């Protein structure tokens, strides 16, 4: 990139480097400290969390997670909800994106504007009535109940529409003249071309759904339907201060592991996607 | 394509599924929410129409007033700090070296954690007796600061935690913004032997105007909805000193089951956030006009 070349030529002052490195230490220390705590016996930590820095370390806390089925159960719930939400969003948004971007039908502009209105509605404005409507329809404590609110992403429709608009018309007009149906054009021609956009939207949706806290907190009342975020919050409340500190931290590390693996593998794409889509 | 072919386009079949879910799960609840806010209602009852009674009760409620003030203060603590730090990091790390790439990854890493994990970590860092910060403070011979239990410091605990958690995204936005600054502007400045500071204030900052507006407005809207940190880190305490509007909503709705009253608070916050969003459109529109004039 051009800007890269320019800034690479201007050297960073030493003070700025020190500032950045100090900042990086502030970012990393809490994570490393958590990691160290998770490998200590709970009894060794009572009143003295500084003990985390010296041996002996133990895997007992991680073993305890597998001995207690609940954390695994929450992990499975989070996985089902996040993958379900992601697949649902991809299907609904690509269909709608194709409709808005490449088809003409009465009321198209108005309906698109109607979808964009959703961008301005924050979660807190609807969450209480969602809770009431889901109670009436008996959807609480169920996977559909956890997944449905995540499917109404105006951003996803907007994003897919913009992406599909940019695909040249010539590609599908020939197929249309040959008598191909729109469904066929959508699945055979357009969908394969939107894989980069699909994966960006998938990463956004998966991260958002995995880390969602408020909706699962109020929608789920049964511990076996908790997602990880809610389950760990409940565990946090139960363990008074330091008595189960090592175990709690092991749970935190364990719960973050899948998302960190996703992050490390897709780091470059995630960072580009986040930066790129927000700017446009 | 002929007009006849267009009319046969099955557009509604493609947009239909999303629109159905959208109407049922977002638009209907939004309208229902306005209805709700005009009623005195508990969870199972049908409630009774109360006009604007919930709203006038809100204006007179000192607990709501305090939570509103807290929300504004914590937003004011977080947004400017976050913006300045993120801009500084983006300027420092906007280079194609491996070290810069690793550092970018580090600063973004906390953003993938859930609020539960983030508050879990920070609760034990900020705890005065056994926490990491306390240990460091004591080894330096200072009295540890009671971040979580002192009314004056509780909002700072939320702010510090939030900044640590959310520094990644604004940094990325500024990095993306920097990539779009035309390189010839810098070359011209170099030819003029402009100082580093002059280049920054005359070229970089004006070019980042749109990005800065975006970052400030996105963060303001996000922090006005701050909830998890307040609930999990300090439980809104001590004595309400760190209760935010959304925590107030949550307590009123699911602690006392006064859904109509809580929804009125939600609508107030909705209006405030809508104001922020509209201001952003207006400001970005003006920034756009400025670009054309250049």
């Amino acid at each position: 990139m051009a800007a890269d070349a320019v800034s690479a030529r201007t050297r960073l002052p030493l003070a700025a480097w020190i500032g950045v490195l100090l900042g990086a230490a502030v970012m990393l220390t809490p994570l490393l400290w958590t990691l160290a705590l998770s490998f200590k016996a709970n009894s060794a930590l009572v009143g003295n969390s500084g003990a985390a820095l010296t041996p002996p370390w133990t895997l007992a806390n991680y073993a305890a997670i597998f001995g207690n089925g609940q954390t695994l159960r929450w992990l499975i719930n989070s996985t089902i909800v996040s993958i379900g939400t992601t697949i649902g969003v991809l299907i609904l948004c690509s269909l709608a994106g194709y409709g808005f971007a490449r088809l003409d039908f009465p009321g198209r502009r108005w309906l698109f504007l109607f979808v964009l209105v959703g961008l301005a509605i924050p979660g807190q404005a609807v969450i209480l009535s969602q809770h009431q409507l889901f109670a009436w329809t008996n959807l609480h404590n169920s996977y559909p109940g956890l997944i449905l609110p995540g499917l109404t992403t105006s951003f996803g429709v907007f994003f897919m529409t913009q992406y599909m608009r940019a695909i040249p018309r010539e590609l599908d007009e020939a197929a249309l003249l040959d008598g191909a149906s729109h469904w066929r054009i959508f699945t055979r021609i357009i969908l394969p071309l939107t894989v980069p956009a699909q994966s960006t939207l998938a990463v956004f949706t998966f991260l958002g759904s995995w880390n969602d806290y408020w909706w699962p907190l109020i929608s789920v009342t049964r511990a076996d339907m908790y997602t990880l975020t809610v389950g760990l919050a409940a565990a946090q409340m139960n363990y008074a201060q330091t008595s189960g500190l090592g175990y709690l931290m092991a749970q935190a590390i364990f719960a973050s592991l899948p998302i960190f693996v996703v992050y490390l593998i897709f780091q470059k794409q995630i960072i580009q996607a986040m930066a790129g889509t927000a700017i446009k | 394509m002929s007009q006849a072919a267009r009319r046969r386009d099955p557009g509604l079949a493609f947009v239909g599924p999303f629109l159905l879910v959208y109407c049922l799960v977002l638009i209907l609840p939004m309208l229902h929410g306005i209805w709700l806010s005009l009623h005195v209602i508990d969870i199972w009852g049908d409630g009774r129409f109360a006009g604007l009674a919930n709203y006038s009760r809100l204006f007179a409620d000192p607990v709501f007033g305090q939570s509103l003030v807290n929300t504004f203060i914590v937003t004011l603590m977080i947004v400017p700090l976050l913006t300045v730090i993120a801009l500084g990091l983006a300027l420092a790390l906007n280079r194609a070296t491996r070290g810069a790439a690793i550092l970018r990854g580090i600063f973004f890493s906390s953003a993938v954690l859930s609020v539960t994990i983030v508050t879990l970590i920070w609760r034990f860092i900020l705890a005065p007796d056994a926490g990491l910060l306390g240990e460091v403070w004591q080894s330096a011979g200072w009295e540890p600061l009671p971040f979580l239990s002192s009314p004056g410091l509780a909002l700072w605990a939320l702010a510090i935690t939030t900044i640590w958690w959310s520094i990644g995204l604004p940094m990325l936005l500024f990095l993306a913004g920097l990539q779009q600054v035309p390189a010839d502007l810098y070359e011209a400045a170099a030819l003029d032997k402009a100082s580093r500071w002059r280049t920054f204030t005359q070229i970089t900052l004006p070019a980042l105007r749109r990005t800065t507006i975006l970052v400030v407005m996105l963060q303001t809207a996000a922090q006005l909805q701050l909830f998890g940190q307040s609930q999990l880190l300090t439980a809104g305490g001590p004595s309400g000193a760190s209760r935010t509007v959304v925590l107030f909503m949550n307590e009123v709705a699911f602690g006392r089951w006064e859904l109509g009253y809580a929804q009125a608070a939600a609508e107030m916050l909705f209006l405030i956030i809508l104001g922020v969003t509209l201001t952003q459109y207006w400001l970005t529109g003006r920034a756009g006009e400025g670009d054309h004039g250049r």
Side-chain angles (χ1 to χ4, degrees):
Chain A
M1 296 260 173
D4 267 339
V6 172
S7 54
R9 260 184 269 137
T10 53
R11 290 225 159 271
L12 202 59
L14 184 66
W17 262 124
I18 294 174
V20 169
L21 290 178
L22 270 179
V26 172
M27 291 306 292
L28 278 181
T29 309
L31 297 176
L32 296 176
W33 193 64
T34 305
L35 195 64
L37 285 176
S38 74
F39 288 111
K40 288 296 289 187
N42 292 308
S43 54
L45 293 172
V46 178
N48 177 25
S49 57
L53 301 174
T54 51
W57 289 293
T58 163
L59 282 172
N61 293 320
Y62 288 93
I65 292 176
F66 288 95
N68 160 7
Q70 268 202 318
T71 315
L72 279 180
R73 171 83 205 182
W74 299 337
L75 182 80
I76 293 168
N77 289 344
S78 276
T79 310
I80 291 174
V81 171
S82 301
I83 291 181
T85 308
T86 307
I87 292 175
V89 163
L90 289 185
I91 293 175
L92 291 177
C93 293
S94 343
L95 283 172
Y98 184 79
F100 282 125
R102 307 189 74 84
L103 297 176
D104 206 3
F105 54 92
R108 181 175 58 92
R109 283 166 179 277
W110 288 108
L111 283 175
F112 191 60
L113 261 178
F114 175 61
V115 170
L116 292 189
V117 167
L119 287 173
I121 305 176
Q124 42 83 16
V126 291
I127 198 164
L128 300 185
S129 28
Q130 280 177 343
H131 183 272
Q132 210 183 23
L133 296 172
F134 278 47
W136 289 339
T137 44
N138 257 324
L139 279 169
H140 288 311
N141 289 307
S142 75
Y143 292 126
L146 285 167
I147 290 172
L148 270 171
L151 299 183
T152 62
T153 161
S154 293
F155 171 78
V157 173
F158 175 70
F159 181 60
M160 290 314 301
T161 304
Q162 295 297 88
Y163 200 90
M164 290 187 186
R165 259 190 198 140
I167 298 172
R169 286 273 170 185
E170 293 79 47
L171 280 173
D172 47 329
E173 278 186 349
L176 207 59
L177 288 177
D178 285 348
S181 69
H182 276 293
W183 177 251
R184 203 179 155 79
I185 294 172
F186 171 67
T187 51
R188 296 294 165 83
I189 300 177
I190 302 296
L191 270 191
L193 289 173
T194 58
V195 170
Q198 304 278 354
S199 46
T200 301
L201 188 58
V203 166
F204 271 117
T205 312
F206 188 86
L207 277 180
S209 177
W210 186 275
N211 288 334
D212 190 21
Y213 173 60
W214 198 12
W215 178 253
L217 175 74
I218 62 175
S219 177
V220 174
T221 48
R222 288 200 340 243
D224 64 314
M225 281 303 292
Y226 282 169
T227 58
L228 266 174
T229 49
V230 178
L232 284 188
Q236 239 181 94
M237 306 289 186
N238 290 343
Y239 286 94
Q241 284 295 331
T242 46
S243 60
L245 184 53
Y247 178 58
L248 214 47
M249 292 303 179
Q251 276 185 317
I253 297 284
F254 179 73
S256 322
L257 223 49
I259 215 86
F260 255 109
V261 170
V262 170
Y263 173 57
L264 288 180
I265 297 174
F266 295 106
Q267 191 183 338
K268 212 174 165 185
Q269 288 88 330
I270 292 177
I271 288 184
Q272 276 173 354
M274 296 250 172
T277 46
I279 282 297
K280 276 165 199 158
Chain B
M1 213 189 300
S2 72
Q3 282 302 105
R6 272 185 199 206
R7 245 174 279 122
R8 268 184 274 111
D9 277 356
L12 278 173
F14 278 92
V15 300
F18 177 82
L19 284 176
L20 185 71
V21 177
Y22 180 72
C23 286
L24 285 178
V25 186
L26 194 72
I27 299 299
L28 178 68
M30 198 197 67
L31 299 175
H32 178 70
I34 297 171
W35 179 90
L36 206 58
S37 75
L38 301 174
H39 286 70
V40 172
I41 197 166
D42 57 35
I43 186 168
W44 301 122
D46 285 337
R48 59 176 176 79
F49 184 73
L52 294 173
N54 284 325
Y55 291 92
S56 54
R57 190 180 150 200
L58 268 184
F59 286 116
D61 186 342
V63 182
F64 177 72
Q66 185 193 26
S67 66
L68 196 60
V69 170
N70 287 340
T71 306
F72 284 140
I73 293 178
V74 84
T75 304
L76 281 175
M77 284 172 168
I78 293 171
V79 175
L81 274 175
L82 205 54
T83 309
V84 171
I85 298 173
L87 175 61
L89 284 174
L91 288 170
L93 299 179
N94 182 33
R95 48 203 73 225
T97 61
R98 195 167 169 75
I102 292 172
L103 285 167
R104 287 196 294 263
I106 290 175
F107 282 103
F108 189 73
S109 60
S110 61
V112 299
L113 299 173
S114 70
V115 67
T116 312
I117 311 286
V118 170
T119 51
L120 177 60
I121 294 174
W122 278 87
R123 202 145 63 97
F124 289 103
I125 290 177
L126 297 172
D129 40 351
L132 179 66
L133 209 57
E135 307 262 347
V136 174
W137 245 243
Q138 274 164 333
S139 64
W142 302 325
E143 218 25 51
L145 294 169
F147 270 106
L148 302 177
S149 53
S150 148
L153 290 172
L155 282 181
W156 277 112
L158 301 192
I160 292 168
T161 306
T162 307
I163 291 171
W164 180 84
W165 184 27
S166 40
I167 191 68
L169 187 61
M171 177 191 74
L172 289 184
L173 295 182
F174 278 123
L175 280 165
L178 284 174
Q179 295 292 330
Q180 293 178 347
V181 184
D184 50 354
L185 287 181
Y186 286 112
E187 277 156 21
L191 283 178
D192 286 351
K193 302 238 178 328
S195 71
R196 190 191 289 270
W197 178 251
R198 227 181 115 75
T199 311
F200 174 66
T201 52
Q202 303 287 315
I203 295 175
T204 311
L205 270 191
L208 287 178
R209 197 181 132 89
R210 269 167 172 275
T211 313
T212 312
I213 294 170
L214 180 74
V215 166
V216 169
M217 295 301 167
L218 278 182
Q219 285 302 326
T220 305
Q223 305 316 332
L224 289 174
Q225 297 181 67
L226 191 140
F227 167 60
Q229 299 95 303
S230 171
Q231 192 208 25
L232 293 165
L233 205 59
T234 56
S239 55
S242 60
R243 182 189 288 116
T244 60
V245 172
V246 179
L247 181 60
F248 172 84
M249 269 178 64
N250 192 65
E251 286 173 0
V252 171
F254 303 110
R256 312 203 312 241
W257 294 106
E258 295 188 67
L259 283 182
Y261 189 44
Q263 185 62 37
E267 301 296 346
M268 296 300 299
L269 194 57
F270 181 22
L271 283 181
I272 295 170
I273 292 171
L274 198 63
V276 170
T277 315
L278 291 178
T279 310
Q280 183 203 332
Y281 283 132
W282 182 67
L283 282 176
T284 335
R286 280 169 50 109
E289 284 161 27
D291 285 348
H292 293 304
R294 194 175 56 203

